[in-house]
Amino acid sequence: MCHPQTCPLVRSILPVNDSYKSIKNGQEIVIKFSVFILLFNLLKFFSCRPFVRAGLWTLAGDPLPAMLLSPLLCHSLRGLWASAPLPPRCLRALHCDARRPLHFLWRRTPLCPHVQSRGVKSRKRPSFEEQQKTRNKTVLTYVVAAGVAMVGLSYAAVPLYRLYCQATGLGGTAVAGHDSDLVANMEPVKERVIKVTFNADTHASMQWNFRPQQTEIFVVPGETALAFYRAKNPTDKPIIGISTYNVVPFDAGQYFNKIQCFCFEEQRLNPHEEVDMPVFFYIDPEFDSDPRMARVDTITLSYTFFEAKEGHNLPLPGYSYN
Amino acid sequence: MSTAMNFGSKSFQPRPPDKGSFPLDHFGECKAFKETFMKCLRESSFDNSKCRLQSKAYLECRMEHQLMTKEPLEKLGFKDLSDPPPRQANEDCQH
C-alpha cells in the first residue's frame, strides 16, 4: 500500500504523518477551502455586481480589500451613469461615502461599453436588467456547481489516491501479492550475488537478549534462503514480544520477500527460555533487471522486538485497509 | 523511521510475510538441523547456495513436528532439490 509518507503527491499537501488522519485532514482542508471559495463568490455576487468586477482587481490583484471598497467605486461611477438606477447597496454606500475624496481609487475608464451611450434610456434599460438577471443566475449556478464539485472532489480523493498509488507503485509498494507460483517457478540469477546482513534490536524496555546467529549471508535473487535469530528471556517472568522489521536500502525492500518469519505476531518466551527464530526469505529475481538496483550489493535486514502489553491490539501492516 | 517527518524521501513500508509467522520451537525439536545448517554456512563462508540441502532438511523437520504447515517443497523454492528421476541423479550430485 502506498503510504502517504511515501507518495509525494499527498506529502506535498498534508502535514501529518499518520496515513488515515492525513487523508481525513486533507478532506477537511479541501472542504473548508471549497466553502470559503463558495462564500467568497456569493459575497461577490450579492455585492455591487457590475462595479465589483473592476473593484475586485484594482488593487494589485488582491481581491479582498477591493471587495470592501466596492461601495466607493459605486460612488465613483455615479457620474457616468446618473440616469440608471443604482443597486440598493450602492445607494446606501453613496450616502455614507459622499464626502470621501478617494478619487485616486476610481476607475476612469468605464466598465461596460454601453454606459457611454447616455441618450438611449427606455429601449435598452429593461433588456439590460433582464440581461443582468440572466447573467447573475448563470454566475450563481456556476458558483454553486463549483462549490459542489469541490466537496465531491474531496470525497473522491481517497479512493482516487489509492488507485493512483497502486498504479504508479510509489514508495515500494509495487507488487500486489506474491503468489506461491512465483516462488515455485522462479529461476535463480546466479551471476548477481547479494550480501544480506542481519541486525537485531530490542526496545529499551524489552529485556530479551535478541541477536542474529549469522552476521551475513550471500544469496542470489530467485533463491530461497534461511537465516536464524536467537532470543533469550533472562528474567524470571514470561515476556511476550512482538517484532517488526526494516530493510535498508528502502528501494530494495520491495524485492525482499519473506515467506515466513517471526514478525508481527506475539511470541511468548517463558522464564530463562532460549529459542531459535528462523526467517525464510527470498529476493525477487526482478531485482536484477531493475536499473535502480544496479549498484545495490548489500541489503540489511533489521528486526526490532518490543514488549507486547496485555490487551494491546497492534494494527498489522497490510491488513489495515480491509 | 516511519515517524520521521521527512517529506522528500521515501520510507520503508513493512509487509507481512507470505505464509505468516513460524511458531516458536520451544522444545528445540529441530535444533540439530539448525546446527547442521549453521555449521554448513560457516564452512562455506556464509554462501546460501551451498547449504540449501540443510535448509530443506530444517524445514522438513519443522513440518514433521507441526511447527510449519506442510507444503510441497517446490512451493518453497526447492524445486531443484526435490528427488530427481534416477537418470538425472548423477547431475544433481554435483550441486
Side-chain angles (χ1 to χ4, degrees):
Chain A
M1 255 69 48
C2 181
H3 199 270
Q5 283 179 5
T6 55
C7 195
L9 179 74
V10 174
R11 262 215 319 264
S12 56
I13 306 168
L14 303 176
V16 200
N17 53 3
D18 190 20
S19 61
Y20 309 106
K21 272 190 204 162
S22 56
I23 291 177
K24 286 211 164 49
N25 281 346
Q27 272 186 340
E28 284 172 18
I29 291 169
V30 174
I31 288 172
K32 283 176 188 163
F33 189 65
S34 61
V35 168
F36 167 72
I37 293 275
L38 187 63
L39 287 174
F40 171 65
N41 285 329
L42 285 174
L43 267 169
K44 187 170 86 167
F45 169 72
F46 283 118
S47 66
C48 198
R49 241 219 106 246
F51 311 99
V52 161
R53 229 181 300 145
L56 281 174
W57 306 110
T58 306
L59 301 171
D62 192 350
L64 277 172
M67 195 169 78
L68 298 173
L69 288 166
S70 56
L72 301 171
L73 292 157
C74 302
H75 177 60
S76 72
L77 288 161
R78 183 186 169 215
L80 285 171
W81 209 345
S83 55
L86 292 169
R89 193 178 162 117
C90 288
L91 281 171
R92 281 199 299 270
L94 283 172
H95 289 304
C96 297
D97 301 332
R99 293 196 187 158
R100 278 201 208 168
L102 287 170
H103 36 264
F104 58 88
L105 286 170
W106 298 349
R107 274 180 68 99
R108 295 295 175 195
T109 54
L111 295 162
C112 314
H114 53 263
V115 168
Q116 283 183 338
S117 57
R118 291 181 210 168
V120 188
K121 293 177 198 177
S122 53
R123 231 191 314 150
K124 279 210 171 175
R125 216 182 300 158
S127 65
F128 183 73
E129 280 180 4
E130 280 170 14
Q131 253 184 341
Q132 274 303 105
K133 276 191 185 156
T134 47
R135 230 187 281 166
N136 290 345
K137 276 191 195 145
T138 321
V139 170
L140 181 63
T141 314
Y142 278 128
V143 161
V144 170
V148 168
M150 291 294 279
V151 172
L153 199 65
S154 71
Y155 279 103
V158 175
L160 283 177
Y161 164 67
R162 218 179 284 159
L163 280 173
Y164 164 75
C165 283
Q166 275 176 8
T168 55
L170 290 170
T173 60
V175 195
H178 304 271
D179 47 348
S180 51
D181 291 340
L182 172 67
V183 182
N185 297 328
M186 62 184 181
E187 292 293 331
V189 181
K190 291 208 191 286
E191 305 83 39
R192 187 81 187 270
V193 178
I194 299 165
K195 182 165 91 166
V196 179
T197 52
F198 298 95
N199 182 37
D201 281 318
T202 51
H203 187 59
S205 59
M206 175 60 152
Q207 289 162 304
W208 284 7
N209 297 334
F210 179 57
R211 59 192 188 283
Q213 295 193 32
Q214 67 284 308
T215 46
E216 62 197 16
I217 197 169
F218 294 92
V219 298
V220 296
E223 205 171 60
T224 52
L226 189 61
F228 285 93
Y229 283 80
R230 178 175 294 152
K232 181 176 164 70
N233 179 4
T235 62
D236 290 329
K237 50 181 172 54
I239 296 178
I240 302 172
I242 192 161
S243 67
T244 182
Y245 77 101
N246 197 354
V247 175
V248 181
F250 294 148
D251 292 337
Q254 57 178 313
Y255 294 105
F256 188 91
N257 307 307
K258 297 187 278 58
I259 298 174
Q260 209 162 355
C261 71
F262 52 90
C263 41
F264 306 123
E265 273 190 27
E266 293 182 355
Q267 313 285 358
R268 184 194 166 95
L269 274 187
N270 292 322
H272 302 287
E273 188 180 357
E274 187 174 15
V275 288
D276 299 314
M277 293 175 158
V279 181
F280 193 46
F281 64 93
Y282 67 95
I283 296 177
D284 202 312
E286 287 182 6
F287 180 90
D288 192 38
S289 48
D290 189 343
R292 291 178 303 158
M293 302 289 135
R295 293 202 190 161
V296 174
D297 289 324
T298 308
I299 293 178
T300 302
L301 174 66
S302 175
Y303 275 91
T304 309
F305 255 101
F306 300 89
E307 187 167 351
K309 305 268 189 299
E310 291 293 330
H312 191 69
N313 284 330
L314 292 173
L316 291 175
Y319 303 128
S320 318
Y321 286 107
N322 299 343
Chain B
M1 284 260 183
S2 59
T3 53
M5 303 262 280
N6 45 346
F7 296 125
S9 63
K10 296 179 189 174
S11 69
F12 180 69
Q13 182 73 4
R15 278 178 289 144
D18 294 342
K19 297 199 192 329
S21 179
F22 276 125
L24 286 186
D25 185 9
H26 288 278
F27 303 112
E29 285 150 355
C30 295
K31 204 166 162 98
F33 292 91
K34 185 216 73 165
E35 290 297 334
T36 333
F37 174 72
M38 294 305 297
K39 192 160 158 255
C40 166
L41 269 189
R42 272 179 233 124
E43 280 165 9
S44 65
S45 62
F46 297 104
D47 187 0
N48 177 60
S49 320
K50 299 201 173 63
C51 297
R52 298 194 65 227
L53 271 173
Q54 285 80 358
S55 63
K56 179 165 102 84
Y58 177 79
L59 293 175
E60 278 170 345
C61 165
R62 274 217 159 218
M63 284 188 216
E64 265 173 59
H65 292 272
Q66 312 288 329
L67 292 170
M68 189 170 161
T69 45
K70 285 201 195 238
E71 271 194 70
L73 287 168
E74 290 79 24
K75 289 219 171 133
L76 297 172
F78 291 112
K79 186 173 64 169
D80 52 332
L81 293 181
S82 45
D83 293 330
R87 57 190 167 89
Q88 286 183 2
N90 286 336
E91 289 160 5
D92 280 353
C93 281
Q94 291 167 9
H95 284 288

